[in-house]
Amino acid sequence: MAETVNLRMSGDFAEQELRSLYDWLMRDLDALDYMDVRLQSKDPEPGEMGDTLDLIALVVTSGLQWPAFIETLSRWRGTRRHRPQVTIEHGATTVVVSEAESEFVVQILKALEDHD
């Protein structure tokens, strides 16, 4: 059974950061073994031209390895000049990753996964 994990960014450069993370994930062959990575856009607001990139949807085809996923996300964030805030949505659960330690985030996500 496939599950979806959504990744969102906020701020002035949210769309550029989403594209950067998407490219990073597409080059991570280990991640691609257990997920399908998709960009999703939202419909334009009145007066806007074209779609705006809204999120990255990770369609997880087998058990999501939270520690490996967070490590990949942490490595990507480490390449950014200003570490962007990433919102992870998994089911009814939302976790915001800002400057939190990756081990702490893994513990939170594993606890949430255990309560799904």
Side-chain angles (χ1 to χ4, degrees), residues 15-25 76 80:
E15 187 168 346
Q16 292 161 318
E17 295 294 2
L18 277 170
R19 289 187 191 284
S20 172
L21 178 55
Y22 173 81
D23 291 341
W24 184 275
L25 290 170
W76 171 78
R80 312 313 296 156

Side-chain angles (χ1 to χ4, degrees), residues 36-87:
D36 181 27
V37 183
R38 300 177 187 164
L39 290 172
Q40 292 187 353
S41 298
K42 64 180 180 177
D43 292 331
E45 297 291 326
E48 288 183 338
M49 295 180 62
D51 295 338
T52 302
L53 184 59
D54 187 40
L55 61 89
I56 296 172
L58 307 175
V59 180
V60 181
T61 55
S62 65
L64 178 59
Q65 304 296 317
W66 284 115
F69 169 72
I70 295 299
E71 179 61 31
T72 297
L73 183 60
S74 294
R75 281 195 321 267
W76 171 78
R77 288 182 75 242
T79 68
R80 312 313 296 156
R81 183 173 181 201
H82 301 285
R83 291 193 176 140
Q85 178 175 295
V86 180
T87 302

Side-chain angles (χ1 to χ4, degrees), residues 23 26 108:
D23 291 341
M26 292 303 292
I108 292 170

Side-chain angles (χ1 to χ4, degrees), residues 84-102:
Q85 178 175 295
V86 180
T87 302
I88 303 170
E89 301 166 347
H90 179 240
T93 303
T94 300
V95 176
V96 177
V97 180
S98 54
E99 294 302 320
E101 294 293 324
S102 61

